[in-house]
Amino acid sequence: MNKSFILLLVFVIALTSCRNDFDFEPSSGGLEFSRDTVYLDTVFTNIGSSTYTLKVYNRSSKDIRIPTIQLGKGLNSNYRMMIDGMEGNNGKIFNNVELLAKDSMFVFIETTVDVADANPTDFLYTDQILFDVGTNQQTVELVTLIQDAYFLYPQRFENGSTEELTIGEENYYGFYLDENDPVNGNEYIFGADKPYVIYGLAAVASGKTLTIEPGARVHFHDSSGIIVAENASIHAQGQPSSTEGLENEIIFEGDRLEPGFANFPGQWFGIWLTSGSTGNLFDHVTIKNGTIGIYAQDTDAIIDNSQLYNNSLYGVYAQNCTISGKNVVINSAGIASLACTYGGTYNFTHSTFNNNWQSSRQLAVYISNYIEDVGALPLHEATFNNCIIYGSNQVEMLLDKDPSQPFNYQFNSCLLKFNNTNNQFTNNPLYLFDSDPEHYNNIIRNQSPRFLNVAGNQLYIENEPSGAFQQGNPIFVPTAPTDITGLQRSTTAPDIGAYVARIFL
């Protein structure tokens, strides 16, 4: 082989082996961003936010090095960042960040901030992400709304243990409310001046009443809830609201305020009315996104003008209780929207029970007089007047009878989803809708109520296309003369369910 060619080949190989394939140039300020402002949704004071994402693009054909990426308030900022897995200086300042040509990187952003650090006029906490500080500087704004709140949680003792509640033979992470708490004042009165955030089970002690005033907002951390002890009561009595903000409604929900959690089930436990609690009242109340909205055992309660949504097991789960309700709306639960079990006395008028949970076994209404492996008790009454019982399954109402105990039930002028497609219930004496006037009167089956938006928990019914339109019995109207929103009902041909029919545009 020609020696000159060999020398040339060696020279070329040596030259290419010394080449740096990633020769980074200083950034010239031409970065692009997935957004110019990152809004970290509302958080409670001193409670960490979710993680938000900003994407940064290098559209040029050059590999660049960004000399500095930092928060505008530097090490004093209450925001934190992670950039492509790097934490920088306490998540506040990053130096010499490299970004390949035609490539992008992720900036992850969080915050934990005290309301005292927010703007006192609008409670906003703001900062900026500064890219390439200097003449080529580019910025992305950061904005967070901070809500102050009352925080209720178990005490932590000097030995490191935390306060617990003993219920039966079980211990629970929880605490009793205090009438003279040094920080929150009287914890047996929840007002509307600022939200309440509860960690663990907040217990209403025997002989005490928890009073929740109109407009109150009560938020619960994971697995948290309210428990009402024997001889104790809860009075959650809101008032009608005039705006979509439900300014006078009492709302119970989780403590995640981001929009993605607005209808996410199972965020907290629920409200537990234990055996022997008494005089419980819920009026103009919304209970949503829990595990069991109201869990009631051998107690009494009135539930009026109230909504229970997106609970992962039950909306209302009652065992041997005395419960009455009017203008009750329960939608979407993993097992049953309403479960009246182990006997008791139940009476609902002008109420709507729907269940579109993604399951082949979920129900809108389940009624029984026993608990398996526990025993049976008399079902003294289960009466439904001018009610809608509907959902996504073919059968949305199930009666489960133990013959050893009485089982009394009656449905009057109700719209039921009960489609006996496989003849499973043919000749079953519990479901003689057309020939058993002792238990069924004016039953409308399998006609759509024409709800406005089930997924959005808007169970308004449409006018004439709705199977519930003008099909109610006026004899029950004096019990609930207005619907859940305050509209007057017809005294001659009322609509079935909790809502007076609307015209959808």
Side-chain angles (χ1 to χ4, degrees):
M1 183 179 290
N2 189 297
K3 291 184 179 179
S4 298
F5 177 76
I6 294 174
L7 289 174
L8 178 62
L9 182 62
V10 170
F11 175 75
V12 170
I13 293 172
L15 181 64
T16 56
S17 67
C18 294
R19 178 179 176 269
N20 185 351
D21 288 330
F22 301 103
D23 189 12
F24 291 91
E25 298 184 6
S27 170
S28 59
L31 299 171
E32 295 182 18
F33 308 103
S34 58
R35 60 184 84 181
D36 57 12
T37 302
V38 179
Y39 295 97
L40 286 79
D41 292 300
T42 305
V43 297
F44 289 114
T45 182
N46 289 323
I47 301 298
S49 72
S50 293
T51 301
Y52 294 78
T53 303
L54 172 71
K55 200 168 185 181
V56 183
Y57 300 93
N58 174 15
R59 305 289 193 190
S60 74
S61 57
K62 298 179 180 180
D63 302 330
I64 62 172
R65 178 180 292 107
I66 307 169
T68 304
I69 301 176
Q70 71 170 70
L71 293 165
K73 296 177 181 177
L75 296 176
N76 294 319
S77 179
N78 287 306
Y79 290 104
R80 302 177 298 278
M81 298 187 295
M82 179 179 287
I83 300 178
D84 272 0
M86 300 180 295
E87 296 183 353
N89 186 350
N90 293 316
K92 318 289 185 181
I93 301 173
F94 298 76
N95 295 315
N96 297 319
V97 179
E98 297 174 344
L99 184 56
L100 295 174
K102 306 295 184 181
D103 202 355
S104 62
M105 66 183 179
F106 287 98
V107 179
F108 300 101
I109 309 150
E110 299 175 343
T111 187
T112 304
V113 57
D114 192 289
V115 71
D117 296 320
N119 186 323
T121 59
D122 55 17
F123 300 103
L124 292 176
Y125 181 76
T126 62
D127 201 347
Q128 296 176 317
I129 305 177
L130 308 180
F131 293 84
D132 194 5
V133 178
T135 57
N136 295 321
Q137 179 176 296
Q138 294 177 268
T139 62
V140 172
E141 304 293 327
L142 301 175
V143 180
T144 307
L145 177 63
I146 313 299
Q147 270 197 290
D148 196 8
Y150 295 105
F151 292 90
L152 286 68
Y153 48 86
Q155 296 183 43
R156 181 174 294 277
F157 303 113
E158 291 183 0
N159 62 4
S161 63
T162 56
E163 187 176 1
E164 289 186 336
L165 292 171
T166 301
I167 303 170
E169 298 181 355
E170 300 291 334
N171 292 329
Y172 295 89
Y173 177 68
F175 60 99
Y176 283 101
L177 297 172
D178 187 347
E179 290 176 309
N180 298 291
D181 185 83
V183 176
N184 298 323
N186 186 356
E187 294 177 339
Y188 279 97
I189 299 176
F190 287 9
D193 57 325
K194 55 184 179 179
Y196 290 75
V197 181
I198 294 176
Y199 290 76
L201 287 177
V204 183
S206 179
K208 301 293 185 181
T209 297
L210 170 59
T211 299
I212 304 180
E213 298 178 340
R217 302 293 189 258
V218 188
H219 300 264
F220 300 86
H221 198 59
D222 182 33
S223 301
S224 300
I226 291 174
I227 180 169
V228 184
E230 184 179 7
N231 296 319
S233 305
I234 179 172
H235 287 176
Q237 193 160 13
Q239 295 176 353
S241 301
S242 58
T243 73
E244 293 184 357
L246 299 176
E247 70 278 3
N248 295 321
E249 186 103 350
I250 296 169
I251 300 178
F252 299 92
E253 60 182 320
D255 63 350
R256 301 299 299 270
L257 304 182
E258 303 92 328
F261 288 87
N263 293 312
F264 194 86
Q267 296 179 44
W268 56 290
F269 170 64
I271 300 172
W272 187 357
L273 310 178
T274 64
S275 177
S277 62
T278 184
N280 301 297
L281 174 62
F282 301 88
D283 191 5
H284 289 97
V285 165
T286 294
I287 302 172
K288 61 181 183 176
N289 305 336
T291 301
I292 303 175
I294 297 175
Y295 177 31
Q297 296 175 299
D298 193 18
T299 184
D300 63 279
I302 296 172
I303 307 172
D304 290 341
N305 307 301
S306 294
Q307 309 165 75
L308 298 95
Y309 298 141
N310 303 328
N311 293 288
S312 59
L313 294 182
Y314 299 93
V316 173
Y317 180 29
Q319 299 173 345
N320 190 35
C321 294
T322 298
I323 297 177
S324 67
K326 60 178 182 288
N327 291 331
V328 179
V329 179
I330 309 180
N331 185 37
S332 190
I335 297 177
S337 293
L338 172 68
C340 304
T341 70
Y342 202 32
T345 301
Y346 309 94
N347 191 303
F348 291 95
T349 300
H350 274 294
S351 294
T352 298
F353 308 101
N354 186 75
N355 203 346
N356 277 50
W357 195 272
Q358 296 300 310
S359 164
S360 62
R361 300 178 64 85
Q362 52 78 17
L363 292 164
V365 172
Y366 172 73
I367 301 170
S368 81
N369 62 347
Y370 74 98
I371 296 178
E372 192 172 354
D373 299 328
V374 175
L377 290 173
L379 179 66
H380 299 292
E381 177 186 2
T383 300
F384 295 81
N385 303 315
N386 290 355
C387 292
I388 295 174
I389 300 173
Y390 207 77
S392 56
N393 284 341
Q394 295 299 319
V395 172
E396 286 291 347
M397 184 270 289
L398 187 64
L399 306 177
D400 198 0
K401 176 183 178 180
D402 185 314
S404 70
Q405 293 290 340
F407 193 82
N408 298 308
Y409 61 97
Q410 189 173 63
F411 295 82
N412 299 304
S413 298
C414 292
L415 188 157
L416 301 180
K417 178 73 172 292
F418 196 97
N419 194 358
N420 187 22
T421 54
N422 59 4
N423 296 318
Q424 177 183 356
F425 301 99
T426 301
N427 300 322
N428 187 319
L430 295 177
Y431 304 103
L432 303 178
F433 302 109
D434 303 318
S435 58
D436 182 7
E438 180 183 354
H439 297 110
Y440 298 102
N441 293 284
N442 187 33
I443 301 303
I444 302 166
R445 280 191 292 154
N446 306 324
Q447 292 189 26
S448 173
R450 304 278 294 191
F451 293 131
L452 174 60
N453 182 356
V454 171
N457 297 314
Q458 296 176 310
L459 301 190
Y460 308 104
I461 62 171
E462 196 168 2
N463 275 15
E464 190 169 358
S466 171
F469 179 60
Q470 295 185 349
Q471 295 299 310
N473 190 331
I475 195 174
F476 302 116
V477 170
T479 301
T482 60
D483 79 351
I484 191 172
T485 67
L487 292 180
Q488 199 74 29
R489 283 196 166 93
S490 169
T491 57
T492 57
D495 303 319
I496 295 174
Y499 294 96
V500 170
R502 272 88 166 152
I503 298 175
F504 300 158
L505 300 177

